[in-house]
Amino acid sequence: MAVEAEVADHYTTGGLFERIKAALKANGVDPETATPKDLKPVDEFHIGGVAATSDLLNQIDVKPSMHVLDIGSGIGGASRFVASATGCTVTGLDLTPEFVETAKALGKMVGFDGRVNFQAGSALDMPFETDSFDAALLLHVGMNIPDKPRLMNEARRVLRPGASFAVYEVMKTNSEDIDYPVPWANTPETSFLATIEEYTTAAEAAGFTVIATRNRRTFALDFFADLRAKLDAGGPTPLGVHLLMGETRAIKVKNMVANISSGRIAPVEMILNAT
Ligand SMILES: C[S@@+](CC[C@H](N)C(=O)[O-])C[C@H]1O[C@@H](n2cnc3c(N)ncnc32)[C@H](O)[C@@H]1O
């Protein structure tokens, strides 16, 4: 199977929208009247959840008149958050059909029709015209993409000159192999971690200037410690990103925390500017 088909297969767990609705009900929320905030435990599929998205967004200037692209938008949590926080329009693009369908259904459920749109497609061959967007986001996607130069070239192509590109990626922080499975891959065959230097080289070659880089290791470890404490105190909650991770969810999270704790990987922010 080609890499992209394998990646989409990895993220497809089946019946996702129905399982999210059932988990909302189990949480005491009627899906008919659910708000965007009610979805936060499940719809931000990256380390740190909505706090991480908010921290990233605070570093770029997004105005209500802007059209923002969310590359690898998953089930759309970051797209909806950015649209709500800034009043802008967001288009989310993702490889996994079940995620795109779920993102659309969730958006409709919480009243986002129109201002946030989702479509299926690859970050390496985006179905958009040159200079289409005023800003872009990339949250925890590049680790499934082997060709970082092509990813950066495509992002640069669809962004207008002067646009911000806010990146929040799991990156390699030493040369040791990591433990699998992890949330983005069951084996090394679909995991393509790169270093900050490799992201920087690809971004600069594509025509971006690096404005800021921030390693979020401590933030990540605090986030997982807090999650652990909540689990220990109250047991698992029905609604969470575990719904997106299939049968091996517990070992995936355990390995990711161990990989970060041991210094092999870390989530890293990069704020880029299209020249
Ligand atoms: C860990 S999830 C993160 C989703 C979302 N950015 C978030 O933070 O909630 C990784 C996402 O990247 C998408 N993805 C992986 N490779 C991709 C590619 N080549 N093009 C578009 N999306 C891709 C997957 O389908 C998946 O939805």
Side-chain angles (χ1 to χ4, degrees):
M1 222 193 279
V3 167
E4 290 193 345
E6 270 192 65
V7 168
D9 192 54
H10 171 80
Y11 286 113
T12 304
T13 48
L16 183 56
F17 182 53
E18 292 306 319
R19 288 188 289 114
I20 291 174
K21 281 202 293 188
L24 276 168
K25 282 185 197 152
N27 255 8
V29 177
D30 178 355
E32 297 291 321
T33 55
T35 66
K37 204 172 166 204
D38 291 325
L39 298 176
K40 284 302 122 189
V42 68
D43 72 359
E44 303 254 4
F45 192 16
H46 49 259
I47 298 164
V50 66
T53 308
S54 176
D55 287 351
L56 192 66
L57 181 62
N58 283 339
Q59 297 171 69
I60 60 173
D61 185 21
V62 178
K63 296 188 168 59
S65 59
M66 288 184 168
H67 190 182
V68 175
L69 173 65
D70 184 3
I71 303 171
S73 45
I75 64 168
S79 301
R80 284 186 290 274
F81 178 80
V82 170
S84 285
T86 67
C88 73
T89 301
V90 180
T91 293
L93 177 79
D94 200 278
L95 199 58
T96 305
E98 186 180 42
F99 278 1
V100 175
E101 292 316 309
T102 305
K104 286 181 183 170
L106 290 174
K108 199 168 172 192
M109 189 173 94
V110 297
F112 266 99
D113 257 358
R115 220 154 43 82
V116 184
N117 298 290
F118 298 99
Q119 70 187 80
S122 168
L124 296 180
D125 190 11
M126 294 197 228
F128 306 118
E129 300 290 320
T130 298
D131 291 354
S132 300
F133 296 96
D134 303 299
L137 310 169
L138 181 81
L139 288 96
H140 286 39
V141 182
M143 61 268 191
N144 286 128
I145 298 182
D147 193 343
K148 305 292 188 282
R150 185 163 163 188
L151 169 65
M152 287 293 170
N153 281 333
E154 265 300 84
R156 177 65 195 85
R157 181 184 68 76
V158 299
L159 284 170
R160 64 160 173 79
S164 296
F165 184 24
V167 171
Y168 178 54
E169 285 294 324
V170 177
M171 298 191 194
K172 232 166 111 105
T173 43
N174 73 23
S175 57
E176 289 168 27
D177 291 338
I178 65 163
D179 297 333
Y180 290 92
V182 283
W184 64 89
N186 288 326
T187 67
E189 275 66 54
T190 48
S191 179
F192 308 99
L193 294 164
T195 61
I196 295 177
E197 293 71 27
E198 286 164 333
Y199 272 90
T200 300
T201 302
E204 289 178 345
F208 289 105
T209 304
V210 179
I211 306 295
T213 302
R214 179 162 67 149
N215 183 321
R216 304 235 67 197
R217 172 189 156 83
T218 308
F219 166 80
L221 292 176
D222 289 348
F223 172 77
F224 288 119
D226 189 51
L227 209 61
R228 181 77 263 157
K230 281 187 184 136
L231 276 175
D232 290 346
T237 55
L239 189 71
V241 289
H242 59 272
L243 296 176
L244 312 178
M245 286 193 274
E247 292 300 311
T248 54
R249 59 184 80 102
I251 181 77
K252 283 173 178 162
V253 174
K254 185 169 173 274
N255 284 340
M256 184 168 62
V257 177
N259 289 326
I260 297 171
S261 302
S262 60
R264 288 174 277 180
I265 56 173
V268 176
E269 294 172 343
M270 291 180 84
I271 304 299
L272 307 175
N273 189 261
T275 54

